[in-house]
Amino acid sequence: MLAVVGASSLDALMDEAIPARIRLNRPPDLPDGESEYEFLRDLRRVGARNRVFRSFIGLGYYDTITPSVILRNVLENPGWYTPYTPYQAEIAQGRLEALLNFQTMVRDLTGMEVANASLLDEATAAGEAMTMLHRVQAKRLERASGSGQFFMADSCFAQTIDVLRSRAEPLKIELVIGDFRTASFTDRTFGALVQTPDEAGRVHDLRNFIARAREAGVMVAVGTDLLSCVLLTPPGEMGADVVYGNSQRLGVPLGYGGPHAAFFATVEKHIRQAPGRIIGVSIDGRGNTAYRMALQTREQHIRREKATSNICTAQALLANIAGLYAVYHGPAGLKRIATRVHQYAGVLERELAKIGVKQVNEHYFDTPRFEVPGGVDAVARIVKAALRTNINLGYRRDGTVHVALDETVDRADINAIVSAFAAGVGRPAPVLEHAPGGPSVERPYPEGLARTSPFLTHPVFNKHHSETEMMRYIRNLERKDVGLDTSMIPLGSCTMKLNAASEMLPVTWPEFSRLHPFAPVDQADGYLQIFRELETMLAAITGFAAVSLQPNSGAQGELAGLMVIRAYHRDRGDTARDVVLIPASAHGTNPASAVMAGMRVVVVASTSEGNIDVDDLERKASEHTDRLSALMVTYPSTHGVFEETIQDVCAIVHRHGGQVYMDGANMNAQVGLTSPAVIGADVCHINLHKTFSIPHGGGGPGMGPIGVAAHLAPFLPGHPLVKTGGDRAIHAIAAAPWGSASILVISYAYMKMLGRDGMTDATRYAILNANYIKSRLERLFPVLYTRRNGRVAHEMIFDLRPLKQASGVEEGDVARRLMDYGFHAPTVSFPVPGTLMVEPTESESKDELDRFCDAMIAIRGEIQDVIDGKADRADNVLKNAPHTAEAVAADDWPHRYSREQAAFPLPFVRHHKYWPSVGRIDNPYGDRNLICSCPPIEAFA
């Protein structure tokens, strides 16, 4: 490979790819690597320090039963956790169908008209609801005097309230928190947010409140529990404009806070303002039903600072699990589960009444709340007695105790809870006698609260209820997609590297998967050790003083970093600093996050070589010197190059009073060789789902911790329920204290097993692999940007625009033709239209790199045939790609090229053939005929 690249050694190549002035003087202070066996053995000991109690705390998180057929075939299956976000829809039909199931489930259970394909967590979904209503109500706010006002019920979850405080302040939204039953609205009130069941477990009929709000011109978002909507009148039927919440209890493990898929549903007229991804239905070239991501022009990668949200990674894998949970159980199964939970809550109320403990919630679903005779002393005795039996309950500031039950509850749990209360009040505990068929207590809801409407009526929710059928359904979906288990995924700026089995195994170990995020921290000593070690290793890699693990996506890391910078300036009295400089080549999340942080975006031009125009930067920094807050910069650049002037760029910003935010999207080219601190950054986010091996899950989960220099450490994000962050912490960025804690174990495993030398070698081989592909393909596909010596970093951009002009073949045609060769396409038209950006990572062998290069060379020959007139400009293998088995096997073959050329263009394809399940999808048709839930069965006839 070095011979092809033209380098004398791997060290020499690093010297040529990375400017000498930013190289590390010594290796980072990291431990030596461990074998897989050693690591897993030691991790068992660490995990044993986590004490897995029965947690009936609730507050948005519940123990659940992940059906084994879903656990084994989805959550633990690389066919589901290694694919990327389904931008290439033709090779993502399986998970697109699963996400459509999720959307349909959410729509049905909430009683709304449309739903998206998941958000990051419940609290941030509430924040998205607030900002969406702010956009929708823009005309109302134009007529009002003063800034917009948003009412929030004080009965919402504490973490939701804190995240909304974080989201509202930079947007100059006045957050009014109070009792929704006595709330009043002004002409400045554009929206309201309430919750049922609420943080105390109370169920509310919101019709009167929503009617009052509507009369005042105020739109209403409602937080709810999907399982409760099986028995209770859903918020959509009460008139809500938005319904949001957490789908975690539908089969997704607690994981000490995540990852979990939030849901977001709204009315159809607001769909173009909705945040996040939306899956829609279209057709392919043969008229077959096909799925795709709809309305992408709303998203950050296109609209940038005008996007509806900064969402990039969502929680696709977890949304798929929740949707498949509903498919497996069906409406009758969900009703059985919900009824059982509700009945057990009634049993608990009945049994505690026998010892004088009164239940005080008028209506509840799964969470009765109890007034304890004897006050705080009795509650203290309950706490001790419950802990002795490994039980956590919800202890409240008003002295009451709530008990949030879930589908795992049984008679033994009820007896243990009753015994703890009995110890508290000094009464003998009654013993619940087991009744055949489970608990038998009726506590019916009154008219108006009880659900009467049907749900999950689509056939997909009513036919896969045996394990055999469910296994086959899941496997059928999986076979339609391309993940890393099929072939390399050379997506530039995405770092689709191996997610090693030994890294993934611990995620579903009970000692990591079954901890409640608000359990007492002394029950999570194993997790706390992992957090400390992970923070230390990330600090060593970045060169920073402190790390926050809370942000649960890269975009959330961006927002957190900018909010920390904002807090730093304000702490110094620099309240006017609100300008952020962003290079024109930046990822779309950068400007979208900047707007969310209340900043004004000023774009910095690029030179003809693709680098930051330092003169333009200097002019704009000088122009905004009194208002400059930050520069957001990606390094190596989004163009795949280590820019020579990066330290000069950072120095200019510092000279004008700003801070430097480094986007960590390309950290895979830095680890062990340079660092954000060395280039001059003050803060960066770290995409653990890129550089540090958390799988992409078909569109999430991800994690985006931030590292900061010492002067920013005091402002790292806190949390209202668990102590985190600095001594002047900003409000919470995510719902859980450590974000999606369970998948932090994956990155911890990656770092512990590779160690200092292994992680540095990973960087070196990533750069080698990129330069190898460049050397093999650049004579056929010009590389747009390089260092002056011709080297690239870990990725490169191939310019297809001259070929398009000569042949009419577009980058999208090449992307789809690669599917016929069994490959996922590189990144299309980002960051430059008409190009393909390729990032091979260090995980791919030379054989796989050569197969990809051979495919690209063959495709270049197919383009040349069009240029030379040997192939028709309209009817050729590229314009008709991808070719399905149905099309190739059809009696009718109307094309001027052979079936073999279409399906088996190179010998290796024949031995490892992947067949796309649909042909080229008609995207305009899908947006003109928008369908965002499961299509009727007749569509497949």
Side-chain angles (χ1 to χ4, degrees), residues 115-135:
N116 74 5
S118 81
L119 292 174
L120 295 169
D121 61 39
E122 180 166 2
T124 58
E128 298 289 352
M130 176 182 70
T131 52
M132 189 193 92
L133 295 182
H134 191 250
R135 291 190 299 273

Side-chain angles (χ1 to χ4, degrees), residues 531-549:
F531 298 158
R532 286 191 299 269
E533 291 186 36
L534 187 57
E535 288 172 2
T536 299
M537 289 188 286
L538 289 173
I541 287 167
T542 59
F544 286 136
V547 170
S548 169
L549 300 174

Side-chain angles (χ1 to χ4, degrees), residues 207 647 678 806:
R207 288 182 180 87
Q647 289 177 321
V678 166

Side-chain angles (χ1 to χ4, degrees), residues 243-276:
V243 182
Y244 72 91
N246 186 2
S247 67
Q248 175 267 320
R249 73 184 309 168
L250 302 187
V252 180
L254 282 163
Y256 202 44
H260 308 137
F263 62 87
F264 188 101
T266 187
V267 293
E268 194 162 354
K269 66 181 178 181
H270 298 327
I271 191 169
R272 293 179 186 275
Q273 292 293 337

Side-chain angles (χ1 to χ4, degrees), residues 218-507:
V218 174
M219 292 183 172
V220 178
V222 179
T224 196
D225 179 305
L226 286 179
L227 193 62
S228 76
C229 291
V230 171
L231 302 183
L232 295 165
T233 300
E237 293 180 17
M238 296 181 183
D241 298 286
V242 174
V243 182
Y244 72 91
N246 186 2
S247 67
Q248 175 267 320
R249 73 184 309 168
L250 302 187
V252 180
L254 282 163
Y256 202 44
H260 308 137
F263 62 87
F264 188 101
T266 187
V267 293
E268 194 162 354
K269 66 181 178 181
H270 298 327
I271 191 169
R272 293 179 186 275
Q273 292 293 337
R277 303 241 161 77
I278 296 172
I279 308 307
V281 181
S282 187
I283 57 174
D284 72 1
R286 296 175 68 86
N288 297 313
T289 298
Y291 308 114
R292 55 186 280 276
M293 293 198 298
L295 302 176
Q296 289 190 57
T297 53
R298 305 155 24 262
E299 294 188 39
Q300 44 71 29
H301 62 284
I302 294 176
R303 287 188 57 105
R304 300 174 71 80
E305 68 270 20
K306 296 180 181 179
T308 57
S309 170
N310 72 339
I311 295 293
C312 182
T313 297
Q315 302 288 19
L317 180 65
L318 300 316
N320 284 334
I321 290 170
L324 290 168
Y325 179 97
V327 169
Y328 187 48
H329 287 295
L334 288 186
K335 190 164 187 177
R336 280 194 300 272
I337 293 168
T339 300
R340 182 179 180 276
V341 172
H342 181 58
Q343 286 181 338
Y344 261 119
V347 168
L348 181 61
E349 178 183 354
R350 183 191 68 194
E351 296 301 300
L352 289 180
K354 295 176 182 177
I355 57 173
V357 178
K358 181 183 178 182
Q359 198 286 126
V360 295
N361 284 346
E362 181 180 3
H363 302 292
Y364 59 78
F365 166 57
D366 58 6
T367 308
R369 182 167 57 101
F370 299 98
E371 199 171 69
V372 180
V376 294
D377 291 338
V379 171
R381 290 191 293 271
I382 292 171
V383 172
K384 289 181 180 178
L387 290 175
R388 282 196 298 269
T389 55
N390 294 346
I391 284 178
N392 297 316
L393 303 175
Y395 305 107
R396 306 175 58 77
R397 290 180 180 177
D398 63 2
T400 61
V401 179
H402 71 248
V403 183
L405 301 183
D406 56 61
E407 68 169 314
T408 70
V409 70
D410 59 19
R411 184 173 61 92
D413 293 322
I414 298 297
N415 282 329
I417 294 167
V418 171
S419 294
F421 273 88
V425 299
R427 299 277 297 273
V431 178
L432 176 64
E433 297 296 333
H434 178 66
S440 56
V441 60
E442 289 299 325
R443 202 179 191 283
Y445 295 113
E447 186 177 353
L449 274 184
R451 180 166 194 150
T452 59
S453 57
F455 57 90
L456 303 186
T457 57
H458 191 275
V460 75
F461 299 107
N462 292 278
K463 61 190 296 188
H464 304 295
H465 302 325
S466 75
E467 181 168 334
T468 305
E469 290 299 322
M470 191 65 187
M471 174 185 66
R472 289 171 181 163
Y473 177 64
I474 291 171
R475 293 287 288 164
N476 179 58
L477 295 180
E478 178 192 341
R479 281 189 282 264
K480 295 179 180 181
D481 293 4
V482 169
L484 285 173
D485 59 325
T486 306
S487 57
M488 71 180 284
I489 300 180
L491 284 159
S493 195
C494 299
T495 314
M496 298 296 293
K497 66 167 63 180
L498 171 71
N499 317 115
S502 291
E503 297 161 7
M504 300 300 297
L505 284 173
V507 173

Side-chain angles (χ1 to χ4, degrees), residues 738-761:
W738 289 280
S740 297
S742 66
I743 58 174
L744 291 173
V745 178
I746 300 170
S747 295
Y748 176 73
Y750 174 90
M751 298 168 80
K752 292 284 282 187
M753 287 190 283
L754 282 180
R756 175 188 58 253
D757 296 339
M759 284 190 279
T760 303
D761 279 345

